[in-house]
Amino acid sequence: MRLARHLPVTTLAAAIAMSGHAQAQTEITVATVNNNDMVIMQSLTEAFEEAHPDITLDWVVLEENVLRQRMTTDIATGGGQFDVMTIGTYEVPIWAERGWLSPLDNLPDDYNEDDLLTSVRDGLSLDGTLHALPFYAESSMMYYRQDLFEEAGIEMSDQPTWEEVREWAGELHGSEEGLAGICLRGKPGWGENMAFVSTLVNTYGGRWFDEEWNPELNSEAWVNAIQFYVDLLNDYGPPGASSNGFNENLALFSRGNCAMWVDATSAAGKLYDGNESDVADSLGFAPAPIAKTPKGSHWLWSWALAIPASSENQEAAREFITWATSQEYIELVGETQGWTSVPPGTRESTYANEQYTEAAPFADFVLKAIQDADPTDSTLEPNPYVGVQFVGIPEFQSIGTQVGQTIAAALTGDTTVEQALDSAQRATERTMQRAGYLD
């Protein structure tokens, strides 16, 4: 898959060429998610190919849940369908430990590995060795329309609470035609609705497992958090909220159809771009809301580029991922797409670049959110896992997806919150028993 539009970056491409070339006429297949930053990466195909004339790129761009299924199946079976995979902080250490990913040691000196943010680099490493390179990194935050808040006489808190958010959503819902008080992820998936829901549960004082790996999905904290979530979206969310993931809510908010939205910090660049967003001039931002505790209220994630061990084009794939995650690539995007469009959250040099910080008023806020998120201490009560919005064990991909489906059923009214969580608890207990975590 290749975008028809190519940018006039011939002279820039030559300037950012990495040293060395891969073997002649090598085609590499790059699997990536259909998020805005990756669409930009795909649009710069010509820049890469002109700087690396012996390599051509073949793109497979898919919706997040579909992409994960395809890549997981391929890498677990050694299929070798992809040369570069777009994966995240959850998959990298697990897949690296199984020998599924090529280690990324001995990177070129001009790649400047030390420029990578420590928390992001650590999340993509196994035993101190990178097994994926960060394309962009994110935490979560709240976006809101300042014009609506001002008209309603609402003052944003320095640290909003979820009870405040519910009150504000009630005041603003329907105040304009087609306006939802709040937009939140409802589409089921461990990386879709459960990424948000897990942070909500965290701040309500809940956790996925106790220290003995017993699931706690029908605990009081989970029931309170999910009931709040279901009621909030049913009362003040957009129609069809159970079908909305990151991209759907981004589209809604950028069109002005949401008064508030809590989601990834990576959306800020597009929302502040007046060519992409109808609300760029009235956009406000605040920390992700809290309830009982601030712990785990905002996530930590990195979309990264990795090379499966099954790839037969290791050298060419390495050329591509070092190019696409380099400081020079960030500068290329800034110069051709605008500085609010550069991939955020990966390099210290990005946040030292005045062109970026002047164009992106959210830059320091996002950097602090990423640095403050602690995947080793994400819940009020101690837990045995690493992760804020996920649990860093192989079984979580299936557990999180199944729980996401039951919560989506509660959101649509097909079941009650209590029934959904009791079902999720039983299913997760069975999974953990079969996997040997429980007696």
Side-chain angles (χ1 to χ4, degrees):
M1 178 177 178
R2 178 84 43 85
L3 291 184
R5 170 175 166 265
H6 293 306
L7 298 170
V9 294
T10 304
T11 55
L12 285 168
I16 64 172
M18 295 289 182
S19 60
H21 291 291
Q23 61 186 16
Q25 301 303 312
T26 301
E27 181 180 80
I28 60 172
T29 301
V30 182
T32 195
V33 67
N34 62 341
N35 290 351
N36 185 60
D37 291 276
M38 287 71 169
V39 172
I40 291 174
M41 175 172 60
Q42 187 189 10
S43 77
L44 294 172
T45 292
E46 185 175 306
F48 175 79
E49 292 181 347
E50 289 186 1
H52 303 80
D54 299 329
I55 307 172
T56 58
L57 304 179
D58 179 48
W59 293 89
V60 177
V61 184
L62 298 168
E63 186 270 332
E64 184 171 325
N65 288 338
V66 177
L67 176 78
R68 284 188 162 123
Q69 290 174 345
R70 289 271 303 272
M71 291 192 305
T72 301
T73 300
D74 184 76
I75 201 160
T77 59
Q81 182 180 357
F82 307 114
D83 299 298
V84 174
M85 290 182 168
T86 305
I87 59 177
T89 314
Y90 166 71
E91 294 98 343
V92 171
I94 295 172
W95 290 7
E97 191 170 21
R98 295 181 173 186
W100 292 350
L101 302 177
S102 297
L104 299 172
D105 47 9
N106 299 317
L107 292 168
D109 290 340
D110 58 0
Y111 183 75
N112 195 4
E113 182 180 341
D114 291 339
D115 187 41
L116 299 176
L117 295 176
T118 301
S119 60
V120 174
R121 185 175 64 231
D122 290 348
L124 300 175
S125 299
L126 178 67
D127 298 329
T129 298
L130 281 162
H131 283 73
L133 301 181
F135 182 66
Y136 74 77
E138 64 184 31
S139 185
S140 53
M141 62 194 285
M142 184 164 78
Y143 304 98
Y144 67 98
R145 284 183 51 186
Q146 289 179 312
D147 57 335
L148 297 177
F149 271 61
E150 290 172 2
E151 289 169 10
I154 302 170
E155 185 174 346
M156 175 57 67
S157 305
D158 290 337
Q159 173 55 76
T161 67
W162 277 110
E163 286 302 325
E164 286 178 318
V165 168
R166 179 176 175 82
E167 180 181 338
W168 298 335
E171 291 186 50
L172 298 173
H173 186 74
S175 58
E176 291 183 353
E177 185 176 356
L179 178 70
I182 191 165
C183 291
L184 299 169
R185 296 189 189 191
K187 180 188 291 186
W190 72 266
E192 280 284 6
N193 64 342
M194 295 314 298
F196 167 75
V197 165
S198 293
T199 62
L200 183 66
V201 169
N202 291 341
T203 194
Y204 264 82
R207 56 187 174 176
W208 278 87
F209 302 97
D210 69 15
E211 291 184 280
E212 303 301 322
W213 290 105
N214 294 294
E216 294 196 337
L217 303 182
N218 56 0
S219 66
E220 182 180 358
W222 271 83
V223 171
N224 290 340
I226 304 308
Q227 191 65 63
F228 176 86
Y229 164 78
V230 167
D231 291 344
L232 180 64
L233 275 181
N234 281 331
D235 290 345
Y236 307 123
S242 63
S243 299
N244 294 339
F246 170 77
N247 282 325
E248 291 81 7
N249 283 319
L250 174 60
L252 284 169
F253 191 91
S254 64
R255 290 197 302 263
N257 296 128
C258 311
M260 294 176 284
W261 179 36
V262 180
D263 212 296
T265 57
S266 59
K270 185 164 185 175
L271 292 176
Y272 266 97
D273 183 347
N275 295 319
E276 300 277 354
S277 168
D278 294 337
V279 298
D281 292 338
S282 60
L283 183 63
F285 56 88
I290 63 172
K292 186 175 181 180
T293 175
K295 280 192 174 184
S297 61
H298 56 284
W299 67 62
L300 179 64
W301 181 256
S302 175
W303 277 117
L305 303 179
I307 304 171
S310 56
S311 169
E312 297 181 356
N313 301 306
Q314 296 281 324
E315 182 184 350
R318 191 179 177 98
E319 289 277 4
F320 174 71
I321 69 170
T322 53
W323 175 84
T325 62
S326 66
Q327 184 176 345
E328 289 78 12
Y329 174 85
I330 290 171
E331 292 170 357
L332 173 65
V333 174
E335 292 168 9
T336 60
Q337 305 287 310
W339 284 98
T340 58
S341 297
V342 305
T346 60
R347 290 185 171 271
E348 293 179 9
S349 56
T350 302
Y351 295 90
N353 186 323
E354 290 184 1
Q355 290 175 288
Y356 178 63
T357 56
E358 287 177 5
F362 51 84
D364 289 341
F365 180 91
V366 169
L367 179 61
K368 186 177 187 302
I370 291 172
Q371 292 173 329
D372 287 351
D374 186 355
T376 66
D377 185 21
S378 60
T379 55
L380 185 61
E381 299 295 329
N383 71 65
Y385 51 86
V386 174
V388 181
Q389 78 282 17
F390 61 82
V391 178
I393 58 174
E395 294 77 15
F396 182 74
Q397 185 164 347
S398 60
I399 290 172
T401 296
Q402 187 170 24
V403 174
Q405 290 167 345
T406 63
I407 288 177
L411 181 59
T412 58
D414 291 338
T415 184
T416 67
V417 168
E418 289 82 0
Q419 289 170 337
L421 292 178
D422 284 343
S423 174
Q425 174 75 10
R426 291 192 298 270
T428 304
E429 285 176 347
R430 288 194 298 270
T431 299
M432 297 301 280
Q433 287 169 349
R434 287 196 300 267
Y437 290 86
L438 303 175
D439 295 333

